mmCIF file of all heavy atoms in Angstrom:
data_model
loop_
_atom_site.group_PDB
_atom_site.id
_atom_site.type_symbol
_atom_site.label_atom_id
_atom_site.label_comp_id
_atom_site.label_asym_id
_atom_site.label_seq_id
_atom_site.Cartn_x
_atom_site.Cartn_y
_atom_site.Cartn_z
ATOM 1 N N PHE A 84 12.103 10.323 8.018
ATOM 2 C CA PHE A 84 10.896 9.694 8.565
ATOM 3 C C PHE A 84 10.853 8.194 8.276
ATOM 4 O O PHE A 84 9.897 7.520 8.652
ATOM 5 C CB PHE A 84 9.647 10.349 7.957
ATOM 6 C CG PHE A 84 9.589 11.831 8.110
ATOM 7 C CD1 PHE A 84 10.075 12.665 7.105
ATOM 8 C CD2 PHE A 84 9.080 12.408 9.256
ATOM 9 C CE1 PHE A 84 10.027 14.047 7.238
ATOM 10 C CE2 PHE A 84 9.029 13.788 9.398
ATOM 11 C CZ PHE A 84 9.522 14.605 8.392
ATOM 12 N N GLY A 85 11.839 7.693 7.566
ATOM 13 C CA GLY A 85 11.801 6.296 7.128
ATOM 14 C C GLY A 85 10.907 6.102 5.923
ATOM 15 O O GLY A 85 10.394 5.000 5.692
ATOM 16 N N LEU A 86 10.736 7.162 5.124
ATOM 17 C CA LEU A 86 9.854 7.124 3.958
ATOM 18 C C LEU A 86 10.624 7.455 2.691
ATOM 19 O O LEU A 86 11.737 8.001 2.738
ATOM 20 C CB LEU A 86 8.711 8.138 4.124
ATOM 21 C CG LEU A 86 7.841 8.028 5.370
ATOM 22 C CD1 LEU A 86 6.910 9.234 5.474
ATOM 23 C CD2 LEU A 86 7.027 6.734 5.345
ATOM 24 N N ARG A 87 10.024 7.149 1.552
ATOM 25 C CA ARG A 87 10.521 7.598 0.253
ATOM 26 C C ARG A 87 9.440 8.505 -0.343
ATOM 27 O O ARG A 87 8.367 8.034 -0.730
ATOM 28 C CB ARG A 87 10.805 6.414 -0.665
ATOM 29 C CG ARG A 87 11.980 5.557 -0.205
ATOM 30 C CD ARG A 87 12.251 4.400 -1.155
ATOM 31 N NE ARG A 87 11.154 3.437 -1.145
ATOM 32 C CZ ARG A 87 11.045 2.429 -0.289
ATOM 33 N NH1 ARG A 87 11.956 2.268 0.661
ATOM 34 N NH2 ARG A 87 10.023 1.590 -0.358
ATOM 35 N N ILE A 88 9.731 9.796 -0.401
ATOM 36 C CA ILE A 88 8.726 10.774 -0.800
ATOM 37 C C ILE A 88 8.904 11.170 -2.261
ATOM 38 O O ILE A 88 10.017 11.467 -2.708
ATOM 39 C CB ILE A 88 8.790 12.028 0.093
ATOM 40 C CG1 ILE A 88 8.346 11.680 1.522
ATOM 41 C CG2 ILE A 88 7.919 13.147 -0.465
ATOM 42 C CD1 ILE A 88 8.406 12.850 2.489
ATOM 43 N N THR A 89 7.797 11.175 -2.981
ATOM 44 C CA THR A 89 7.727 11.713 -4.334
ATOM 45 C C THR A 89 6.815 12.929 -4.292
ATOM 46 O O THR A 89 5.682 12.838 -3.801
ATOM 47 C CB THR A 89 7.154 10.677 -5.322
ATOM 48 O OG1 THR A 89 8.014 9.529 -5.351
ATOM 49 C CG2 THR A 89 7.035 11.267 -6.730
ATOM 50 N N TYR A 90 7.286 14.071 -4.787
ATOM 51 C CA TYR A 90 6.486 15.295 -4.766
ATOM 52 C C TYR A 90 5.708 15.430 -6.079
ATOM 53 O O TYR A 90 6.252 15.220 -7.169
ATOM 54 C CB TYR A 90 7.368 16.515 -4.541
ATOM 55 C CG TYR A 90 7.957 16.536 -3.151
ATOM 56 C CD1 TYR A 90 9.254 16.076 -2.914
ATOM 57 C CD2 TYR A 90 7.218 17.001 -2.068
ATOM 58 C CE1 TYR A 90 9.789 16.077 -1.637
ATOM 59 C CE2 TYR A 90 7.757 17.009 -0.782
ATOM 60 C CZ TYR A 90 9.037 16.544 -0.582
ATOM 61 O OH TYR A 90 9.556 16.544 0.691
ATOM 62 N N LEU A 91 4.441 15.788 -5.942
ATOM 63 C CA LEU A 91 3.542 15.929 -7.087
ATOM 64 C C LEU A 91 2.977 17.335 -7.074
ATOM 65 O O LEU A 91 2.317 17.733 -6.118
ATOM 66 C CB LEU A 91 2.409 14.899 -6.996
ATOM 67 C CG LEU A 91 2.863 13.437 -6.805
ATOM 68 C CD1 LEU A 91 1.707 12.567 -6.365
ATOM 69 C CD2 LEU A 91 3.475 12.905 -8.088
ATOM 70 N N GLN A 92 3.245 18.097 -8.121
ATOM 71 C CA GLN A 92 2.843 19.499 -8.164
ATOM 72 C C GLN A 92 1.407 19.640 -8.662
ATOM 73 O O GLN A 92 1.060 19.161 -9.735
ATOM 74 C CB GLN A 92 3.772 20.298 -9.073
ATOM 75 C CG GLN A 92 3.529 21.796 -9.060
ATOM 76 C CD GLN A 92 3.938 22.452 -7.749
ATOM 77 O OE1 GLN A 92 4.965 22.099 -7.161
ATOM 78 N NE2 GLN A 92 3.142 23.402 -7.293
ATOM 79 N N GLN A 93 0.575 20.303 -7.872
ATOM 80 C CA GLN A 93 -0.796 20.629 -8.269
ATOM 81 C C GLN A 93 -0.808 22.113 -8.665
ATOM 82 O O GLN A 93 -0.572 22.974 -7.824
ATOM 83 C CB GLN A 93 -1.770 20.362 -7.123
ATOM 84 C CG GLN A 93 -3.228 20.478 -7.516
ATOM 85 C CD GLN A 93 -4.170 20.142 -6.355
ATOM 86 O OE1 GLN A 93 -3.812 20.333 -5.186
ATOM 87 N NE2 GLN A 93 -5.356 19.642 -6.662
ATOM 88 N N PRO A 94 -1.077 22.422 -9.928
ATOM 89 C CA PRO A 94 -0.948 23.809 -10.378
ATOM 90 C C PRO A 94 -1.874 24.777 -9.662
ATOM 91 O O PRO A 94 -1.516 25.928 -9.407
ATOM 92 C CB PRO A 94 -1.264 23.733 -11.877
ATOM 93 C CG PRO A 94 -2.002 22.444 -12.051
ATOM 94 C CD PRO A 94 -1.477 21.524 -11.013
ATOM 95 N N ARG A 95 -3.071 24.295 -9.343
ATOM 96 C CA ARG A 95 -4.039 25.092 -8.593
ATOM 97 C C ARG A 95 -4.818 24.158 -7.688
ATOM 98 O O ARG A 95 -4.986 22.985 -8.008
ATOM 99 C CB ARG A 95 -5.003 25.825 -9.525
ATOM 100 C CG ARG A 95 -4.390 27.028 -10.242
ATOM 101 C CD ARG A 95 -5.477 27.818 -10.967
ATOM 102 N NE ARG A 95 -6.140 27.044 -11.999
ATOM 103 C CZ ARG A 95 -7.444 27.082 -12.259
ATOM 104 N NH1 ARG A 95 -8.240 27.843 -11.521
ATOM 105 N NH2 ARG A 95 -7.955 26.357 -13.235
ATOM 106 N N PRO A 96 -5.335 24.662 -6.556
ATOM 107 C CA PRO A 96 -6.120 23.799 -5.663
ATOM 108 C C PRO A 96 -7.501 23.527 -6.250
ATOM 109 O O PRO A 96 -8.463 24.234 -5.968
ATOM 110 C CB PRO A 96 -6.189 24.600 -4.361
ATOM 111 C CG PRO A 96 -6.044 26.021 -4.790
ATOM 112 C CD PRO A 96 -5.140 26.014 -5.996
ATOM 113 N N LEU A 97 -7.603 22.489 -7.071
ATOM 114 C CA LEU A 97 -8.835 22.189 -7.799
ATOM 115 C C LEU A 97 -9.620 21.051 -7.177
ATOM 116 O O LEU A 97 -10.465 20.451 -7.844
ATOM 117 C CB LEU A 97 -8.506 21.874 -9.271
ATOM 118 C CG LEU A 97 -7.877 23.032 -10.051
ATOM 119 C CD1 LEU A 97 -7.464 22.570 -11.447
ATOM 120 C CD2 LEU A 97 -8.842 24.200 -10.137
ATOM 121 N N GLY A 98 -9.357 20.741 -5.907
ATOM 122 C CA GLY A 98 -10.143 19.731 -5.207
ATOM 123 C C GLY A 98 -9.337 18.496 -4.851
ATOM 124 O O GLY A 98 -8.311 18.189 -5.476
ATOM 125 N N LEU A 99 -9.832 17.769 -3.847
ATOM 126 C CA LEU A 99 -9.139 16.567 -3.379
ATOM 127 C C LEU A 99 -9.129 15.484 -4.448
ATOM 128 O O LEU A 99 -8.132 14.770 -4.613
ATOM 129 C CB LEU A 99 -9.804 16.038 -2.105
ATOM 130 C CG LEU A 99 -9.938 17.023 -0.928
ATOM 131 C CD1 LEU A 99 -10.463 16.298 0.302
ATOM 132 C CD2 LEU A 99 -8.614 17.702 -0.631
ATOM 133 N N ALA A 100 -10.229 15.348 -5.183
ATOM 134 C CA ALA A 100 -10.273 14.344 -6.241
ATOM 135 C C ALA A 100 -9.305 14.701 -7.373
ATOM 136 O O ALA A 100 -8.743 13.812 -8.024
ATOM 137 C CB ALA A 100 -11.696 14.202 -6.780
ATOM 138 N N HIS A 101 -9.105 15.982 -7.595
ATOM 139 C CA HIS A 101 -8.129 16.408 -8.606
ATOM 140 C C HIS A 101 -6.722 15.996 -8.187
ATOM 141 O O HIS A 101 -5.891 15.622 -9.036
ATOM 142 C CB HIS A 101 -8.204 17.920 -8.805
ATOM 143 C CG HIS A 101 -7.234 18.435 -9.825
ATOM 144 N ND1 HIS A 101 -6.025 18.995 -9.485
ATOM 145 C CD2 HIS A 101 -7.287 18.449 -11.184
ATOM 146 C CE1 HIS A 101 -5.371 19.350 -10.579
ATOM 147 N NE2 HIS A 101 -6.119 19.040 -11.623
ATOM 148 N N ALA A 102 -6.429 16.046 -6.887
ATOM 149 C CA ALA A 102 -5.124 15.600 -6.400
ATOM 150 C C ALA A 102 -4.914 14.117 -6.698
ATOM 151 O O ALA A 102 -3.813 13.689 -7.064
ATOM 152 C CB ALA A 102 -5.001 15.871 -4.900
ATOM 153 N N VAL A 103 -5.958 13.319 -6.537
ATOM 154 C CA VAL A 103 -5.871 11.895 -6.891
ATOM 155 C C VAL A 103 -5.647 11.746 -8.387
ATOM 156 O O VAL A 103 -4.866 10.899 -8.839
ATOM 157 C CB VAL A 103 -7.141 11.158 -6.442
ATOM 158 C CG1 VAL A 103 -7.107 9.696 -6.900
ATOM 159 C CG2 VAL A 103 -7.310 11.234 -4.927
ATOM 160 N N LEU A 104 -6.295 12.587 -9.160
ATOM 161 C CA LEU A 104 -6.181 12.531 -10.621
ATOM 162 C C LEU A 104 -4.741 12.759 -11.068
ATOM 163 O O LEU A 104 -4.221 12.017 -11.915
ATOM 164 C CB LEU A 104 -7.111 13.582 -11.227
ATOM 165 C CG LEU A 104 -7.511 13.443 -12.696
ATOM 166 C CD1 LEU A 104 -8.291 12.165 -12.939
ATOM 167 C CD2 LEU A 104 -8.338 14.653 -13.116
ATOM 168 N N ILE A 105 -4.085 13.769 -10.520
ATOM 169 C CA ILE A 105 -2.719 14.065 -10.953
ATOM 170 C C ILE A 105 -1.704 13.076 -10.381
ATOM 171 O O ILE A 105 -0.565 13.026 -10.853
ATOM 172 C CB ILE A 105 -2.308 15.511 -10.580
ATOM 173 C CG1 ILE A 105 -2.191 15.674 -9.062
ATOM 174 C CG2 ILE A 105 -3.275 16.525 -11.161
ATOM 175 C CD1 ILE A 105 -1.584 16.994 -8.642
ATOM 176 N N ALA A 106 -2.103 12.289 -9.385
ATOM 177 C CA ALA A 106 -1.199 11.312 -8.780
ATOM 178 C C ALA A 106 -1.292 9.945 -9.449
ATOM 179 O O ALA A 106 -0.682 8.981 -8.973
ATOM 180 C CB ALA A 106 -1.494 11.177 -7.284
ATOM 181 N N ARG A 107 -2.019 9.859 -10.553
ATOM 182 C CA ARG A 107 -2.297 8.557 -11.183
ATOM 183 C C ARG A 107 -1.028 7.776 -11.498
ATOM 184 O O ARG A 107 -0.921 6.579 -11.191
ATOM 185 C CB ARG A 107 -3.114 8.767 -12.463
ATOM 186 C CG ARG A 107 -3.485 7.459 -13.182
ATOM 187 C CD ARG A 107 -4.479 6.676 -12.340
ATOM 188 N NE ARG A 107 -4.929 5.464 -12.977
ATOM 189 C CZ ARG A 107 -4.355 4.260 -12.820
ATOM 190 N NH1 ARG A 107 -3.284 4.144 -12.059
ATOM 191 N NH2 ARG A 107 -4.849 3.197 -13.416
#
Side-chain angles (χ1 to χ4, degrees):
F84 305 93
L86 304 171
R87 292 181 293 273
I88 292 179
T89 299
Y90 292 98
L91 307 165
Q92 186 70 40
Q93 189 177 28
R95 286 189 298 141
L97 297 174
L99 305 187
H101 180 262
V103 176
L104 199 63
I105 68 171
R107 181 68 177 92

